[in-house]
Amino acid sequence: MLTSKTLVSVCVLFSGLTPLISGLDFRYHNTENMENFLWDITTKYSSITCLHSIGKSVGGRDLWVIIIGRFPQEHTIGIPNFKYVANIHGDEVVGRELLLHLIEYLVTNYGNDLTITKLVNSTRIHIMPCMNPDGFEATEPDCQYSNGRYNKNAYDLNRNFPDPFQNNTVEIQPETQAVMDWIQTENFLLSANLHGGTVVANYPYDNAVSDGKLMRYSMSPDDDVFKYLAKIYSYNHATMSKGNVCSNSLPFKDGIINGYSWYPVEGGMQDYNYVWGQCFEITLELSCCKYPPEDQLQQFWEDNRLAMLEYMKQVHLGVKGQVLDVSGNPISDAVVQVEGRANICPYRTNQYGEYYRLLLPGEYTFIVTVPEIGSITRTLQIKNNSSSFSAQKHDFIFTNISTAGSTDIFNTIPDVLCMSPTNEKYICDDAADLHASLFFFLFEFVICTLLK
């Protein structure tokens, strides 16, 4: 199991092997097919990829994640982390195949296509094609429903996370725990999870404090950003923005919807990412039929390719920087707040003193606080630099303190153990964010507590 103290990566760190890839076909790939494809990719494109398992399913299958980037094995200051996750419901299969084709598209176009090259060089991209491999293998093809929706213990993994608004008492499953640990180990900034059953971009919150009424809007402090992100996907998708793609679903204005106003979800993954992971995540419903015929897969790829790429670029929206002392040393665990955006859990700097904040263009007042030291207040004019593949940069410097010579857990990051397919071992640095905080929210009173 991945923890905040250990990340075991399976990385191919050598080149010169015989290329194994002849082009991914448009068909459904079972677990063995998928694993072989991922291994082939990391063998041929070892300089920009790293493959690792973040844990095991109930049935003992690996939960594979491939990292694509200029520095795939380690975090680099100023380069944000992005992720796509698919197949949390084992019977919703289109997203799984789209992510395999996205992986191939990114690595084969790197160095040949200027936009893809810039995206890969400026972003650490994490892709998990399948969060529920047991469910996928148990799925019987059906447009509406299969028992494969659930994991091997018959749990719905998208109702299995801690919830910021209700006490979710379900037993945390191995797949869920692995993803929670992964979220708390990496500094993810932007994410999307891929589903099927209709065509719409769904954004937080998915739940709310219950007042006995349903179908009300549950607005997050970053509602403007979430609506913008959802529209980026829907308007770059071939048909999503029309809002009426599926005959058996509600009409969705602009092809987007607030999750709770659609239907409440207790224990959903996107709210967990946003509240406890400092990661903006939306849910993408990509097909009217959950398990469509294979001959439709190529069209799904064509419909979604541009939207997937444009959405990824938004990881460079807003502002980024470091919180530093007078000597230029990074200050970890500083609280970075934006006036008027009262996040349930305050955003904090990582072990490198970094902060990232997705914001639309405009004027914002930042309050940066170092506990027991003091605060800095600055008003920034934010531009949209996402097209240049780098958010606006601004560092906050505390001139009255120096952390030189200090040591704590945030400055003692363990090495990553990387292995080749022949189990040859390599050592590389990783950027695991060990300070990530988890919190609990109860009605109007915010209670935050550190979980490891």
Side-chain angles (χ1 to χ4, degrees):
M1 179 185 297
L2 179 71
T3 69
S4 61
K5 298 180 184 295
T6 305
L7 177 63
V8 179
S9 294
V10 185
C11 299
V12 181
L13 300 182
F14 50 86
S15 58
L17 297 182
T18 302
L20 303 174
I21 300 170
S22 58
L24 187 68
D25 49 357
F26 287 98
R27 65 178 177 85
Y28 290 113
H29 297 81
N30 64 21
T31 299
E32 182 180 1
N33 299 151
M34 182 184 72
E35 290 178 345
N36 288 339
F37 168 76
L38 294 174
W39 276 116
D40 289 353
I41 288 287
T42 52
T43 299
K44 185 174 181 181
Y45 300 95
S46 58
S47 65
I48 59 168
T49 63
C50 178
L51 179 65
H52 69 102
S53 172
I54 65 167
K56 299 276 189 181
S57 68
V58 173
R61 294 181 170 93
D62 281 297
L63 304 177
W64 292 110
V65 172
I66 189 168
I67 307 173
I68 301 172
R70 186 180 177 189
F71 307 104
Q73 300 148 24
E74 60 184 5
H75 176 73
T76 300
I77 292 174
I79 294 183
N81 286 283
F82 175 93
K83 66 178 168 69
Y84 274 130
V85 177
N87 214 195
I88 187 173
H89 292 146
D91 62 339
E92 298 173 13
V93 297
V94 171
R96 171 190 177 105
E97 296 303 321
L98 291 182
L99 291 189
L100 295 181
H101 283 279
L102 178 64
I103 291 165
E104 182 184 55
Y105 188 84
L106 291 173
V107 299
T108 57
N109 283 282
Y110 180 76
N112 300 310
D113 181 279
L114 182 59
T115 297
I116 297 303
T117 302
K118 287 182 177 180
L119 179 63
V120 171
N121 282 342
S122 63
T123 316
R124 195 161 174 248
I125 303 162
H126 306 245
I127 299 177
M128 176 187 278
C130 182
M131 184 178 160
N132 186 4
D134 298 344
F136 175 82
E137 294 296 337
T139 292
E140 295 291 333
D142 189 276
C143 268
Q144 302 302 323
Y145 173 81
S146 167
N147 285 335
R149 173 184 178 90
Y150 308 105
N151 79 339
K152 195 169 184 178
N153 285 339
Y155 281 81
D156 186 330
L157 298 179
N158 203 37
R159 309 292 189 278
N160 196 233
F161 286 82
D163 192 279
F165 303 103
Q166 294 176 260
N167 182 20
N168 193 6
T169 59
V170 298
E171 180 183 354
I172 300 294
Q173 295 299 291
E175 298 92 343
T176 309
Q177 188 63 59
V179 170
M180 289 169 59
D181 291 341
W182 180 43
I183 291 168
Q184 296 305 324
T185 303
E186 298 286 356
N187 300 119
F188 291 118
L189 176 59
L190 181 61
S191 174
N193 69 88
L194 280 53
H195 289 246
T198 191
V199 177
V200 69
N202 165 20
Y203 57 92
Y205 289 123
D206 263 340
N207 205 0
V209 175
S210 177
D211 60 1
K213 299 179 182 179
L214 299 180
M215 307 305 290
R216 293 176 58 183
Y217 198 102
S218 185
M219 183 183 295
S220 77
D222 295 291
D223 189 68
D224 58 337
V225 179
F226 275 118
K227 286 192 288 189
Y228 168 84
L229 292 170
K231 287 182 180 180
I232 284 289
Y233 200 95
S234 71
Y235 276 92
N236 283 285
H237 184 277
T239 60
M240 186 181 287
S241 63
K242 296 178 180 179
N244 59 352
V245 178
C246 303
S247 60
N248 61 344
S249 70
L250 296 172
F252 302 109
K253 188 179 186 304
D254 296 316
I256 71 173
I257 193 166
N258 172 259
Y260 183 74
S261 71
W262 187 12
Y263 60 88
V265 172
E266 179 183 346
M269 184 164 66
Q270 74 174 8
D271 283 2
Y272 177 84
N273 269 274
Y274 177 54
V275 172
W276 285 295
Q278 300 186 179
C279 175
F280 286 57
E281 177 168 287
I282 66 173
T283 298
L284 299 171
E285 302 277 357
L286 300 179
S287 61
C288 303
C289 178
K290 292 187 176 185
Y291 205 129
E294 285 183 329
D295 61 10
Q296 296 180 16
L297 290 175
Q298 185 167 359
Q299 188 60 54
F300 280 116
W301 169 243
E302 295 301 328
D303 289 348
N304 285 275
R305 178 177 57 84
L306 178 60
M308 296 176 80
L309 295 173
E310 289 300 317
Y311 183 77
M312 293 169 71
K313 292 179 185 178
Q314 306 314 307
V315 76
H316 299 291
L317 186 71
V319 63
K320 65 182 179 181
Q322 289 177 282
V323 179
L324 306 167
D325 70 7
V326 68
S327 301
N329 300 304
I331 302 175
S332 62
D333 217 32
V335 176
V336 180
Q337 296 172 294
V338 179
E339 193 173 83
R341 294 173 187 261
N343 295 101
I344 291 174
C345 296
Y347 281 29
R348 296 174 181 269
T349 56
N350 64 15
Q351 69 270 21
Y352 300 106
E354 287 181 289
Y355 75 94
Y356 295 85
R357 202 66 171 85
L358 295 181
L359 293 166
L360 300 183
E363 186 175 274
Y364 300 90
T365 298
F366 281 72
I367 304 100
V368 181
T369 304
V370 177
E372 301 182 6
I373 299 295
S375 298
I376 291 176
T377 300
R378 295 284 185 275
T379 298
L380 305 180
Q381 190 71 38
I382 306 300
K383 301 177 181 179
N384 187 348
N385 288 349
S386 60
S387 61
S388 65
F389 299 93
S390 178
Q392 186 171 321
K393 190 174 187 301
H394 184 87
D395 293 337
F396 294 94
I397 301 174
F398 280 77
T399 59
N400 58 331
I401 60 172
S402 175
T403 59
S406 66
T407 59
D408 59 21
I409 186 173
F410 311 126
N411 298 320
T412 55
I413 309 301
D415 289 330
V416 177
L417 179 63
C418 291
M419 295 177 290
S420 75
T422 57
N423 286 333
E424 296 178 54
K425 298 180 180 179
Y426 302 82
I427 298 296
C428 61
D429 293 328
D430 185 72
D433 177 11
L434 299 187
H435 86 273
S437 298
L438 295 177
F439 306 93
F440 292 94
F441 170 77
L442 181 61
F443 300 102
E444 290 86 6
F445 185 71
V446 178
I447 305 174
C448 295
T449 181
L450 180 66
L451 299 179
K452 296 290 186 180

